[in-house]
Amino acid sequence: MRNQTPELLAPAGSLESLRAAVNAGADAVYVGGAKYGARAYAENPEEEDLIAGLRYAHRFGVRVHLTVNTLLKEAELQALPEYIAPYYEAGLDAAIVQDLGALAVLHRQFPLLSLHASTQTTVTGPESARLFRSLGVSRVIPARELSLEELVRIKQETGLEVESFVHGALCYAYSGQCFMSSLLGGRSGNRGRCAQTCRLPYSLVRDREKPTKQSLLLSCKDLCSLDLIPMLAASGIDSLKIEGRMKSPRYTAGVVSVWRKYLDLYAREGEEGFAVAAEDRAKLLDLFDRGGQTEGYYRKHNGRDMIVLGEKKEKRKPNLPYEEELEQRYVKTERELPLRGSFRQRAGEPLCLTVGAEVRHIGTVSAEVMGAVAERARTAGSSPEAVRERLLKTGGTGFRFSELAVSMEEGYFFPVKQLNELRRQALEAISATIDSRFARKTVRPTETICDGETGDGSSAVFEGRTEDKPPAIHVSCDSEEQLKAVSAMSEVSMISFGSDSLPPERWEAAISEIHGSGKQAYLLLPQIFRTEAEQFFTAQAELLANLPFDALIVRNLEEPGYFRKLYESRGKLCPSLLFDFQVYGMNREAQRCLKGFGAARLTLPIEETARELRALETRGQELVVAGRLPMMVSANCVKKTAARCDHKAEYMQLRDRRMMDMPVRTHCAFCYNTIYNAAPLSLSGVAGELRELKLGAVRLLLTNENAEQSRAAVRSLHHSFVLGERDVAEAYENFTRGHFRKGVE
């Protein structure tokens, strides 16, 4: 009995790579077009080449997925349907999408197109997967950091297909939750232009300790989970994804061929007969070696052995014979589809050539063409063997006859030109027939309304605020010292504190202190919501349900569904949900989706300029205008990598080659790290340019500031945003305006 194996999904950064992937045995290929892809610096075929590649793949039963996995600005979203239409009409199998607005538009405009939620959406559990299902998504590509158990749970509880990375580069940060390249160099990973700043050397600085030696603390080894094929296949994971759209066609061919070999081995022999040969491991390292390989997160949450650490070793010498073998076998070879053919000639009837093939996913395909009526030979007629030999000459067409029957009468002669033309017409006809079986028609555009779930009807956080009032000041605190300092300030209207900033037994007292000073109290939920977070909040469910929080700040789409259920199960109304900037609404359609998911108010994106923000719905919304912005959120722990894990939540400093120190916060309750920008954000000096946005609130993010620094930052915001004063003293010495004037590409 043959064991079931998942789809093998290969990367293609060019038409040549696409063909190499198909030739090497991929079941599906994902490729970027000229726009909207998360690998903007890949070769990325233009429309004509991509459609040619699509048809080549379909001929051999290989599906093609187009990456639309970046965040889209308002103008870009408007142009999306026109960009997708030619590929949709040619039979594109799926689109891999990050942006909520893009999902909503594609679901309406192209109803037969499968939609896959990109790993950039940071799906970490079944609740977020359900939200994406409401937008028409049929497959999710969860965060790469999830364990196999977490992946299986998503599949079992939602019925969605699950795709998971198994080979290639690993980002240090959760995909979609990294601003490092964006904030340091203006090249956003959310826009496909990551500069891979994490691959540089850093040292860790802790209080009263000597800095560690500079090393590649944030550079992950490459993923290779080849040994886990039996476990992955048995789990029911639908698709195994290879990373590498920036890599060469040889790389694609080599990795795909090795994975194909072992998936087929498992299918034939099962787990008992499965073993990976040492020479195949060596081949994979010959193709690319960043500093070793790791199995990734399937069986462990993090680990020092996942990180490169030491200075990069000498590059492996190229394995030229192996590369040449790949070139000749997969890259330069034209794969041929086997055909069944039948040539028929009868007196007084046109010549007839029928061809047929079995094409994966669509079944039997056939075509029949007619030629001229044959004339009797004046001397010797053509033999069946000569006719067959001529018709079998299909070199360079992408087809070959596996069988060809010739039925003809004696005494007739067929010119070579006539047979060649008949064969050409037949091959063109079968090719067109295959293409037509995948072709679709584009539907007319419909009204731009999000199809997302509706919220719980709770009142808006800023209800009653009118556009002629200045924005309220909202301060997010990360320590009790900060909370006490800002609670006493009349300038502040709202205070939020992190779920792990204060121990749960202190939450009630903190709310009382905040409410006692006439302010609203919000709970800042974790940026990553996984098993650890669910266990934490389940343990605190009774306490949480009975505390008078005015709002919960959502930073991960796993949270709206989870917390609504938590409150409903205890007969309570869930507080208003304020969606933070890490849940992206970079266009109006995405904003509508977030409102549909239950957002009472939105925190506007941090990667858009003031001009770009004006294209959004900004009235009554919130904007982060001061404080250190988070640059990376990682399942790996800098402290565990550089020293040891002591389960102590604290701030440290990550020092780069220029001696700039970036605060690092360990969130031990939820087992993730946050790395912050060395330079705090401050928009106090440009507050006047933001007034036309009619914001409901401006927000200060406090990290490791002391009480006096916290008060100074609040005063600066009050004088600039509330009182409208000019030339306000900045609260921070070395600050940044972020993307206020210079956005991201």
Side-chain angles (χ1 to χ4, degrees):
M1 180 178 175
R2 186 177 176 88
N3 293 283
Q4 288 294 109
T5 58
E7 169 189 87
L8 179 59
L9 177 59
S14 65
L15 178 59
E16 194 176 27
S17 290
L18 185 150
R19 288 176 176 268
V22 171
N23 296 344
D27 297 307
V29 177
Y30 66 102
V31 60
K35 301 177 183 177
Y36 307 120
R39 290 292 180 268
Y41 300 119
E43 198 172 311
N44 293 330
E46 295 290 339
E47 182 182 308
E48 185 178 346
D49 281 346
L50 204 156
I51 290 176
L54 178 67
R55 289 173 174 161
Y56 182 81
H58 280 168
R59 182 181 299 176
F60 302 104
V62 176
R63 300 187 189 277
V64 177
H65 307 168
L66 180 68
T67 57
V68 190
N69 53 343
T70 58
L71 296 179
L72 274 61
K73 299 175 184 180
E74 184 66 24
E76 293 168 331
L77 185 63
Q78 301 303 318
L80 180 62
E82 183 179 356
Y83 168 74
I84 292 293
Y87 307 127
Y88 178 79
E89 291 167 0
L92 178 68
D93 297 284
I96 302 172
V97 187
Q98 176 185 14
D99 190 272
L100 292 172
L103 280 171
V105 167
L106 293 177
H107 182 42
R108 280 194 310 276
Q109 180 83 22
F110 306 104
L112 299 180
L113 179 63
S114 294
L115 298 176
H116 299 172
S118 166
T119 191
Q120 291 284 118
T121 60
T122 325
V123 168
T124 56
E127 295 296 340
S128 49
R130 288 188 186 100
L131 292 182
F132 283 103
R133 186 177 63 189
S134 74
L135 293 176
V137 163
S138 60
R139 175 185 292 187
V140 292
I141 310 166
R144 302 179 212 209
E145 291 78 3
L146 298 196
S147 67
L148 186 61
E149 289 74 17
E150 289 172 307
L151 294 172
V152 170
R153 182 187 174 195
I154 292 173
K155 181 172 177 60
Q156 290 178 342
E157 293 191 17
T158 68
L160 291 167
E161 293 182 0
V162 172
E163 176 180 309
S164 187
F165 283 89
V166 294
H167 195 98
L170 273 179
C171 295
Y172 188 80
Y174 280 90
S175 294
Q177 300 298 316
C178 181
F179 297 103
M180 192 176 209
S181 174
S182 171
L183 291 171
L184 296 183
R187 290 172 54 178
S188 173
N190 281 317
R191 303 274 295 162
R193 291 170 169 82
C194 177
Q196 299 194 18
T197 321
C198 54
R199 301 293 183 187
L200 298 173
Y202 299 91
S203 60
L204 185 66
V205 183
R206 298 178 69 188
D207 288 343
R208 296 180 297 279
E209 289 187 11
K210 184 180 178 181
T212 63
K213 181 183 176 182
Q214 289 240 322
S215 60
L216 303 176
L217 284 175
L218 309 183
S219 183
C220 292
K221 296 177 181 178
D222 278 5
L223 176 64
C224 180
S225 51
L226 198 62
D227 289 298
L228 305 185
I229 282 179
M231 183 179 79
L232 294 168
S235 74
I237 298 299
D238 298 276
S239 180
L240 306 183
K241 186 171 192 171
I242 297 167
E243 183 278 338
R245 283 196 292 128
M246 296 288 287
K247 303 287 200 319
S248 70
R250 291 180 179 182
Y251 173 89
T252 300
V255 175
V256 170
S257 62
V258 170
W259 273 86
R260 180 78 275 155
K261 173 182 176 179
Y262 286 101
L263 282 169
D264 290 347
L265 175 64
Y266 173 76
R268 292 193 311 270
E269 307 293 338
E271 187 172 1
E272 290 185 3
F274 184 87
V276 179
E279 57 264 31
D280 288 324
R281 296 184 199 280
K283 285 179 179 178
L284 293 174
L285 286 169
D286 284 340
L287 290 168
F288 193 82
D289 183 10
R290 182 176 268 119
Q293 295 177 331
T294 172
E295 286 186 351
Y297 299 92
Y298 288 106
R299 300 195 285 192
K300 60 195 300 186
H301 188 93
N302 55 34
R304 193 174 192 269
D305 59 338
M306 294 184 182
I307 310 301
V308 174
L309 284 178
E311 292 298 331
K312 291 184 179 179
K313 56 186 180 183
E314 284 187 29
K315 285 187 177 181
R316 297 170 70 93
K317 292 182 179 179
N319 186 338
L320 298 179
Y322 179 49
E323 290 186 12
E324 184 60 28
E325 176 191 344
L326 294 173
E327 185 81 11
Q328 297 305 318
R329 188 172 181 181
Y330 302 115
V331 180
K332 298 299 183 184
T333 298
E334 180 82 7
R335 188 172 171 181
E336 297 174 327
L337 182 68
L339 299 175
R340 299 180 305 277
S342 174
F343 173 82
R344 186 181 74 249
Q345 178 266 323
R346 294 289 182 269
E349 296 179 6
L351 299 180
C352 177
L353 179 59
T354 303
V355 293
E358 294 297 321
V359 178
R360 189 179 176 191
H361 305 309
I362 62 173
T364 302
V365 180
S366 62
E368 184 177 85
V369 295
M370 300 291 185
V373 176
E375 296 182 0
R376 282 194 169 274
R378 294 178 181 177
T379 55
S382 299
S383 68
E385 292 75 17
V387 171
R388 181 182 293 106
E389 182 181 357
R390 173 52 51 186
L391 292 177
L392 286 174
K393 293 182 181 295
T394 59
T397 66
F399 296 97
R400 64 177 175 81
F401 283 106
S402 58
E403 55 183 84
L404 177 61
V406 175
S407 175
M408 53 182 285
E409 297 180 353
E410 292 184 1
Y412 286 85
F413 176 75
F414 311 109
V416 169
K417 182 178 179 181
Q418 187 179 37
L419 293 176
N420 287 347
E421 180 64 14
L422 193 66
R423 182 190 62 234
R424 183 189 64 78
Q425 290 178 358
L427 297 185
E428 286 182 354
I430 190 79
S431 181
T433 301
I434 294 171
D435 294 343
S436 69
R437 294 283 291 272
F438 289 95
R440 312 184 188 99
K441 290 184 178 180
T442 300
V443 299
R444 292 180 61 189
T446 56
E447 187 180 355
T448 307
I449 299 177
C450 174
D451 296 318
E453 295 180 356
T454 57
D456 60 4
S458 56
S459 61
V461 175
F462 305 118
E463 188 175 2
R465 182 167 299 282
T466 58
E467 62 181 73
D468 59 343
K469 289 186 178 180
I473 294 178
H474 171 195
V475 181
S476 289
C477 298
D478 199 31
S479 71
E480 194 147 5
E481 179 186 6
Q482 294 166 354
L483 191 148
K484 287 182 177 298
V486 300
S487 291
M489 301 184 72
S490 60
E491 296 92 337
V492 177
S493 299
M494 310 146 193
I495 296 177
S496 56
F497 58 86
S499 311
D500 59 344
S501 299
L502 303 178
E505 57 269 22
R506 287 285 301 132
W507 290 358
E508 184 173 11
I511 295 171
S512 296
E513 186 170 352
I514 294 169
H515 282 171
S517 60
K519 301 167 176 51
Q520 291 185 330
Y522 304 159
L523 183 65
L524 190 65
L525 300 176
Q527 190 164 342
I528 300 299
F529 196 95
R530 290 177 56 187
T531 302
E532 295 84 0
E534 186 172 346
Q535 292 171 346
F536 176 91
F537 285 103
T538 299
Q540 306 302 329
E542 202 63 38
L543 170 67
L544 182 60
N546 289 288
L547 290 176
F549 281 108
D550 297 289
L552 305 179
I553 302 181
V554 168
R555 296 196 287 169
N556 181 291
L557 286 178
E558 192 67 16
E559 293 163 350
Y562 174 84
F563 284 96
R564 276 199 289 265
K565 290 177 180 177
L566 182 150
Y567 281 90
E568 288 169 3
S569 68
R570 285 158 178 79
K572 303 286 186 177
L573 181 66
C574 183
S576 293
L577 301 179
L578 170 62
F579 281 36
D580 216 340
F581 63 88
Q582 295 96 340
V583 185
Y584 304 110
M586 285 188 75
N587 51 70
R588 286 177 177 262
E589 188 76 7
Q591 289 184 304
R592 291 189 185 99
C593 289
L594 294 174
K595 295 289 184 62
F597 292 163
R601 284 295 184 268
L602 306 177
T603 308
L604 299 173
I606 65 168
E607 289 192 296
E608 294 200 306
T609 64
R611 178 181 55 80
E612 290 166 340
L613 288 173
R614 294 185 196 110
L616 303 179
E617 179 56 57
T618 60
R619 182 178 301 170
Q621 312 300 342
E622 182 169 305
L623 180 67
V624 174
V625 297
R628 284 187 171 84
L629 293 172
M631 293 199 303
M632 300 184 85
V633 181
S634 174
N636 258 292
C637 179
V638 175
K639 181 164 61 172
K640 183 176 181 179
T641 298
R644 62 183 177 84
C645 176
D646 56 11
H647 300 285
K648 179 184 176 185
E650 62 176 313
Y651 276 96
M652 302 166 290
Q653 304 291 329
L654 197 65
R655 182 169 292 169
D656 67 14
R657 297 174 301 170
R658 300 171 301 163
M659 303 304 287
M660 297 290 290
D661 286 347
M662 298 169 282
V664 181
R665 167 77 149 86
T666 55
H667 299 270
C668 297
F670 310 119
C671 203
Y672 68 82
N673 277 192
T674 303
I675 301 172
Y676 294 90
N677 197 2
L681 173 72
S682 178
L683 299 183
S684 290
V686 292
E689 299 176 50
L690 291 167
R691 288 198 185 97
E692 64 182 277
L693 299 182
K694 310 300 181 186
L695 297 170
V698 291
R699 186 150 151 220
L700 165 63
L701 297 179
L702 295 178
T703 49
N704 56 354
E705 291 89 345
N706 60 30
E708 184 49 44
Q709 290 169 329
S710 302
R711 285 190 287 264
V714 169
R715 285 192 293 267
S716 178
L717 295 190
H718 178 71
H719 283 283
S720 55
F721 284 93
V722 179
L723 300 181
E725 297 177 2
R726 298 182 179 181
D727 301 322
V728 174
E730 295 283 356
Y732 300 102
E733 289 184 13
N734 300 310
F735 62 88
T736 175
R737 299 289 191 210
H739 292 299
F740 180 77
R741 287 202 172 91
K742 186 178 180 181
V744 293
E745 297 178 34

